[in-house]
């Protein structure tokens, strides 16, 4: 019971501390020392405010970075959230998403495996901390005509020379676009963050601390449901579904009308470093506790779960516990302590550490099959205690030569057959001028969700008992080897980034066509080429990139052959240099592929063979201007809707349409006093 009460007590403490700090932060800054120029005028600004990250502290770089005041990515919607990679989602802000391109896994050991809302969650290890000579306030607001909304407000100030504290709030939201009944709210994400940075006067000791809590709510629609007129009327394909008829948006019917996915995340993180012998030997400690709770419900207003005309379940494969409602809950709690030493000089650096992970997974389901009143059952709970050893080492000679290595291994575990196995990852990189090469290798177990799940509509158990008492996966570890070559070269106004990778994947664990975990026992080979070219002709700027993938169309892995993004804009001053502005266009292109389908009950994407997402292009035109510390943009998104023969829209995921043409407005305001 104390474990259950701990997150609640932490959250209550966080709220109380936040209120007190907020009152203190709003206290007039008249008693603070001010930065003055020769005319005694306050000159606070981006140059007097620095931002630091945990990665900087772990490299012993304490000077901080300049605040980002550029306009480049403010209008690009994938930069509005916390994962800026290309994603496959369900076509609206706040919906489930996954990375579209191949991305090597760095996680080993016990991992929860519920990641479809990671895009919207702050990572406590990457949040910004500040070194401010004056109070710093950041404000951002974005709104579109179809209800997309982004709101962020943060405040940070120094309390003395060595302590800086701050508070941040953000909210992402959207309105329904499919099967609408007026202006209905749809997804909603909110996050509250308290953060603090402290250092001693002699700068030997540094500490970073944050409390991070997020709440995410997503009504699940299960995709568009074909109607009587959504099939081919004649010809050899008569009677087959006709996806091109599914772009009526608000007038379409969907499979689910009362389903909801709720996710709660809470995290407390503390990083401490203590310099022992100059920069050659520094001890550090990282404490990280986090909790993630997932709850999927489907509660019809009356009667059983949604049925088709013959009386069969419309969306679900079957029921196990209740035919009247679904209520599946899972909670994962993890506590980690990492202790190590590190050292850095201009030429070399190293870090050695040990980390212990204590993890617990609990499942809870509602059943009314055998009880008229209904009751909750606890089908399983699992505990994991795991030890990891790791380190990094790097060597640099000016800007010409660099060698970096990093890796981590998990202590071996005993299987029922008396054999041992281990998990690890390793990365080695060598750079000579503009050329670099990298080798990456990892062996990792399936996620905890892939190993075991119990719900109203799905159940599997891919674990086996071991003498130590902690079940292990019956699947083999997935082994990945990747070799990459890169070129980064600047030639006058041209900047070229290019890379080529060869990847081999053995024993990949994935979600198959039945939406349940399976292991692909054949090796998978990928060849990936990526190029980005940036240049300018006077005040006209161009930024084009593309990634091609061969081998990503197999049974267990689905990746488009080509994903490209092009941007062209004019940049310059208006009104006697009063406004610095950009006007241009941004185009995204994705080739045809059999995209992953989505199962909301398990929060997992899975491979499917019944639907091909056609190749499509989405073009946006925009205008953005910067007036001192304020930037404003206007954007028409998907301006090319209906202008080519691919239909009146596109599919982001099978039977989930992307958003239609819409107007977007955004403002960013940074206050430095």
């Amino acid at each position: 019971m104390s474990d259950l009460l701990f997150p609640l007590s932490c959250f209550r403490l966080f709220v109380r501390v936040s209120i007190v700090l907020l009152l203190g932060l709003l206290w007039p800054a008249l008693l603070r020392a001010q930065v003055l120029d020769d005319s005694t005028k306050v000159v606070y600004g981006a140059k007097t405010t620095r931002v630091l990250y945990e990665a900087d502290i772990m490299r012993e770089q304490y000077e901080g970075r300049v605040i980002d005041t550029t306009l480049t990515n403010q209008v690009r919607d994938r930069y509005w959230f916390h994962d800026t990679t290309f994603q496959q989602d369900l076509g609206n802000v706040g919906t489930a998403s996954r990375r579209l391109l191949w991305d090597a896994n760095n996680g080993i050991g016990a991992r929860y495996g519920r990641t479809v809302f990671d895009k919207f969650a702050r990572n406590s290890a990457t949040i910004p901390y500040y070194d401010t000579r004056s109070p710093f306030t950041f404000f951002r607001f974005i709104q579109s005509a179809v209800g997309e909304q982004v709101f962020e407000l943060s405040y940070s100030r120094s309390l003395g020379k060595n302590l800086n504290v701050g508070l941040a709030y953000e909210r992402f939201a959207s309105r329904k676009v499919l099967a609408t009944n007026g202006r209905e709210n749809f997804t909603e994400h909110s996050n509250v963050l308290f953060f603090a940075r402290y250092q001693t006067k002699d700068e030997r000791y540094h500490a970073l601390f944050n409390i991070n809590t997020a709440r995410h709510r997503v009504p699940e629609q299960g995709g568009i449901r074909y109607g009587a007129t959504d099939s081919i009327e004649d010809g050899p394909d008569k009677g087959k579904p006709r996806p091109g008829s599914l772009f009526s948006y608000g007038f379409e019917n969907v499979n689910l009308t009362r389903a909801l996915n709720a996710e709660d995340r809470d995290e407390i993180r503390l990083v401490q470093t203590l310099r022992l012998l100059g920069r050659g030997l520094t001890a550090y400690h990282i404490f990280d506790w986090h909790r993630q709770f997932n709850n999927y419900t489907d509660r019809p207003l009356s009667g059983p779960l949604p049925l088709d005309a013959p009386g069969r379940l419309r969306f679900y494969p079957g029921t196990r516990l209740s035919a009247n409602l679904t209520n599946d809950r899972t909670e994962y709690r993890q506590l980690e302590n990492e202790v190590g030493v590190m050292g850095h000089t201009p030429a070399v650096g190293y870090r050695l550490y040990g980390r212990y992970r204590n993890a617990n997974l609990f499942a809870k389901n509602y059943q009314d099959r055998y009880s008229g009143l209904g009751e909750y059952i606890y089908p399983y709970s699992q505990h994991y205690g795991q030890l990891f050893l790791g380190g990094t080492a790097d060597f640099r000679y000016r800007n010409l030569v660099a060698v970096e290595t990093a890796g981590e291994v998990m202590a071996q575990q005993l299987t029922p057959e008396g054999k041992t196995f281990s998990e690890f990852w390793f990365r080695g990189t060598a750079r000579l001028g503009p050329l670099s090469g990298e080798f990456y290798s990892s062996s990792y177990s399936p996620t905890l969700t892939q190993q075991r799940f119990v719900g109203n509509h799905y159940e599997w158990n891919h674990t086996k008992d071991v003498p130590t008492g902690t079940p292990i996966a019956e699947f083999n570890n997935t082994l990945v080897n990747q070799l990459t070559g890169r070129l980064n070269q600047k030639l006058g106004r041209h900047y070229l980034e290019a890379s080529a990778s060869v990847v081999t994947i053995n024993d990949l664990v994935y979600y198959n066509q039945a939406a349940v975990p399976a292991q692909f026992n054949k090796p998978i080979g990928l060849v990936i080429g990526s190029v980005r070219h940036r240049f300018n002709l006077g005040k006209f700027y161009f930024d084009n990139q593309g990634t091609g993938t061969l081998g990503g169309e197999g049974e267990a892995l689905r990746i488009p052959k080509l994903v490209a993004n092009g941007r062209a804009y004019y940049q310059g001053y208006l009104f006697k240099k009063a406004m610095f502005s950009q006007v241009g266009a941004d185009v995204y292109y994705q080739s045809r592929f059999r995209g992953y389908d989505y199962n909301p009950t398990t929060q997992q994407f899975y491979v499917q063979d019944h639907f091909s997402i056609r190749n499509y292009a989405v073009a946006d035109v925009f205008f953005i201007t910067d007036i001192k510390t304020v930037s404003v943009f206007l954007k028409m998104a998907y301006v090319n809707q209906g202008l080519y023969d691919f239909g009146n829209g596109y599919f982001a995921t099978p039977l989930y349409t992307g958003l239609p043409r819409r107007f977007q407005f955004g403002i960013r305001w940074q206050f430095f006093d």
Side-chain angles (χ1 to χ4, degrees):
M1 179 64 71
S2 61
D3 288 341
L4 295 174
L5 292 176
F6 179 64
L8 180 60
S9 62
C10 288
F11 181 73
R12 289 174 175 171
L13 177 61
F14 167 55
V15 172
R16 294 169 182 171
V17 171
S18 299
I19 294 173
V20 174
L21 284 172
L22 185 60
L23 293 175
L25 295 174
L26 294 177
W27 191 263
L30 297 176
L31 299 180
R32 297 184 67 258
Q34 296 182 339
V35 179
L36 305 176
D37 63 10
D38 293 337
S39 63
T40 68
K41 181 181 179 181
V42 177
V43 290
Y44 297 133
K47 294 182 179 180
T48 66
T49 301
R50 312 290 285 188
V51 58
L52 298 95
Y53 294 89
E54 181 180 312
D56 299 326
I57 301 299
M58 297 305 293
R59 287 193 295 264
E60 299 185 273
Q61 298 175 353
Y62 307 119
E63 62 275 11
R65 313 181 190 189
V66 176
I67 291 286
D68 182 13
T69 59
T70 62
L71 304 178
T72 307
N73 293 318
Q74 287 188 49
V75 301
R76 306 177 103 169
D77 50 11
R78 66 187 176 95
Y79 287 90
W80 296 348
F81 311 106
H82 300 297
D83 188 339
T84 61
T85 60
F86 293 109
Q87 303 262 331
Q88 177 190 346
D89 59 23
L90 306 187
N92 207 338
V93 170
T95 56
S97 68
R98 59 174 298 276
R99 293 191 175 185
L100 186 65
L101 301 174
W102 166 253
D103 185 48
N105 172 68
N106 256 2
I108 60 176
R111 306 177 318 283
Y112 184 28
R114 305 288 184 95
T115 61
V116 295
F117 303 124
D118 282 3
K119 174 181 176 180
F120 308 100
R122 289 185 187 268
N123 183 345
S124 290
T126 60
I127 68 165
Y129 299 86
Y130 296 94
D131 180 5
T132 63
R133 297 188 181 183
S134 61
F136 172 65
T137 305
F138 178 88
F139 170 75
R140 180 174 63 136
F141 177 73
I142 299 169
Q143 180 73 51
S144 89
V146 298
E148 299 167 283
Q149 187 178 94
V150 176
F151 175 86
E152 182 179 359
L153 178 65
S154 67
Y155 184 90
S156 175
R157 68 172 298 166
S158 294
L159 302 177
K161 184 179 180 180
N162 301 310
L163 175 63
N164 186 276
V165 298
L167 193 65
Y169 171 78
E170 68 180 2
R171 180 178 183 269
F172 307 135
S174 64
R175 289 202 304 265
K176 278 187 179 180
V177 175
L178 298 176
T180 59
N181 182 17
R183 296 164 63 92
E184 295 181 83
N185 292 332
F186 192 46
T187 65
E188 182 171 349
H189 171 94
S190 60
N191 172 261
V192 179
L193 170 70
F194 167 73
F195 55 93
R197 183 187 62 83
Y198 174 77
Q199 65 185 32
T200 56
K201 292 183 179 180
D202 58 8
E203 297 189 355
R204 288 187 59 201
Y205 174 80
H206 292 261
L208 304 176
F209 175 75
N210 70 74
I211 302 177
N212 185 14
T213 181
R215 301 292 180 263
H216 198 91
R217 301 293 182 266
V218 184
E220 298 287 2
Q221 296 185 301
I224 297 173
R225 180 158 51 97
Y226 283 107
T229 61
D230 294 325
S231 59
I232 299 174
E233 297 178 358
D234 52 28
D237 295 328
K238 182 178 180 180
K240 290 186 178 181
R242 185 163 53 94
S245 66
L246 302 180
F247 293 107
S248 298
Y249 299 101
F251 297 100
E252 297 291 349
N253 293 316
V254 294
N255 287 303
L256 302 175
T257 58
R258 300 283 296 177
L260 177 71
N261 252 320
E263 180 175 281
D264 299 344
R265 300 192 185 196
D266 302 295
E267 187 167 7
I268 301 173
R269 189 173 180 88
L270 171 65
V271 179
Q272 305 176 84
T273 67
L274 177 63
R275 187 178 299 171
L276 302 177
L277 297 174
R279 297 190 64 179
L281 181 62
T282 298
Y284 77 91
H285 167 241
I286 300 177
F287 167 90
D288 186 275
W289 174 88
H290 76 258
R291 163 188 174 268
Q292 183 175 334
F293 169 79
N294 289 85
N295 184 198
Y296 176 77
T297 59
D298 193 352
R299 303 170 182 268
L301 290 174
S302 62
L305 293 168
L307 303 174
D308 283 330
R312 298 170 300 185
L313 281 176
R314 178 187 303 160
F315 179 77
Y316 305 110
T319 57
R320 299 180 51 260
L321 304 173
S322 172
N324 297 319
L325 65 89
T326 297
N327 192 339
D328 298 335
R329 303 184 180 189
T330 311
E331 183 174 355
Y332 177 74
R333 295 200 296 266
Q334 176 179 293
L335 174 63
E336 286 190 335
N337 276 283
E338 180 178 320
V339 179
V341 294
M342 60 184 178
H344 298 84
T345 70
V348 298
Y350 73 92
R351 179 158 67 105
L352 300 172
Y353 63 86
R355 182 172 73 252
Y356 185 77
R357 175 181 299 164
N358 188 300
N360 294 275
L361 178 65
F362 305 92
K364 181 179 180 181
N365 307 104
Y366 184 87
Q367 70 165 358
D368 65 355
R369 177 182 294 179
Y370 307 112
S371 171
L373 297 177
E375 59 183 345
Y376 283 102
I377 61 172
Y378 295 83
Y380 67 93
S381 63
Q382 296 175 195
H383 172 77
Y384 299 85
Q386 298 174 334
L387 176 65
F388 304 86
L389 301 175
T392 65
D394 59 84
F395 167 78
R396 297 172 299 279
Y397 177 71
R398 297 181 179 177
N399 291 323
L400 181 63
V401 177
V403 178
E404 300 178 2
T405 61
E408 186 175 273
V409 62
M410 188 181 78
Q412 292 182 336
Q413 297 187 38
L414 189 66
T415 68
E417 295 80 14
K419 301 178 182 179
T420 59
F421 73 96
S422 184
E423 302 181 42
F424 69 87
W425 66 266
F426 170 81
R427 176 179 284 106
T429 304
R431 179 175 61 83
L432 178 61
L435 297 173
S436 65
E438 178 181 283
F439 174 72
Y440 173 83
S441 181
S442 68
S443 174
Y444 55 91
S445 62
T447 66
L448 301 185
T449 303
Q450 288 172 332
Q451 294 180 36
R452 192 169 185 186
F453 179 85
V454 176
N456 193 30
H457 306 288
Y458 293 87
E459 180 180 8
W460 58 77
N461 186 357
H462 297 292
T463 63
K464 50 189 176 182
D465 295 330
V466 294
T468 59
T470 300
I472 65 171
E474 66 178 11
F475 291 132
N476 296 328
N477 282 3
T478 298
L479 177 64
V480 175
N481 289 301
Q482 179 170 331
L483 184 63
T484 303
R486 294 188 177 91
L487 169 66
N488 293 313
Q489 183 65 57
K490 183 178 182 181
L491 296 172
R493 296 179 177 179
H494 296 264
Y495 189 84
L496 179 66
E497 302 174 47
S499 68
S501 299
V502 177
V503 185
T504 60
I505 310 167
N506 293 279
D507 295 321
L508 178 67
V509 178
Y510 69 107
Y511 289 88
N512 63 18
Q513 288 83 347
V516 300
Q519 185 153 56
F520 191 68
N521 295 317
K522 298 178 181 179
I524 300 173
L526 301 177
V527 178
I528 304 171
S530 180
V531 63
R532 182 181 182 186
H533 180 213
R534 291 176 285 165
F535 68 100
N536 71 290
L537 299 173
K539 295 184 178 181
F540 290 90
Y541 291 77
F542 303 87
D543 185 352
N544 302 297
Q545 63 177 310
T547 299
T549 303
L550 297 178
E553 298 179 321
E555 179 181 337
L557 188 64
R558 305 288 168 81
I559 302 174
K561 286 186 176 180
L562 178 62
V563 173
N565 194 192
R567 180 181 173 92
Y569 58 93
Y570 174 87
Q571 176 175 284
Y573 283 97
L574 300 175
F575 304 112
K576 297 182 179 181
K577 296 188 176 183
M579 298 169 59
F580 183 73
S581 306
Q582 293 178 357
V583 57
D586 196 303
V587 179
Y588 172 82
Y589 174 81
Q590 179 179 301
S591 62
R592 173 192 290 263
F593 85 121
R594 289 176 296 168
Y596 288 81
D597 212 335
Y598 177 63
N599 183 354
T601 65
T602 60
Q603 296 98 44
Q604 303 296 333
F605 284 86
Y606 63 95
V607 298
Q608 55 81 33
D609 298 318
H610 64 86
F611 194 101
S612 289
I613 299 177
R614 297 192 62 176
N615 56 315
Y616 65 88
V618 175
D620 307 330
V621 294
F622 64 88
F623 170 78
I624 182 169
T625 187
D626 187 55
I627 309 173
K628 293 184 178 180
T629 61
V630 182
S631 60
V632 179
F633 75 79
L634 307 174
K635 173 181 168 183
M636 183 62 72
Y638 196 15
V639 69
N640 59 317
Q641 181 183 17
L643 299 183
Y644 49 88
D645 61 357
F646 291 167
N648 196 36
Y650 65 95
F651 289 95
T653 289
L655 300 179
Y656 291 88
T657 57
L659 292 173
R661 183 188 298 119
R662 61 206 180 277
F663 175 76
Q664 296 172 329
F665 163 81
I667 182 172
R668 184 186 71 177
W669 201 331
Q670 299 184 97
F671 302 87
F672 296 97
D673 52 25

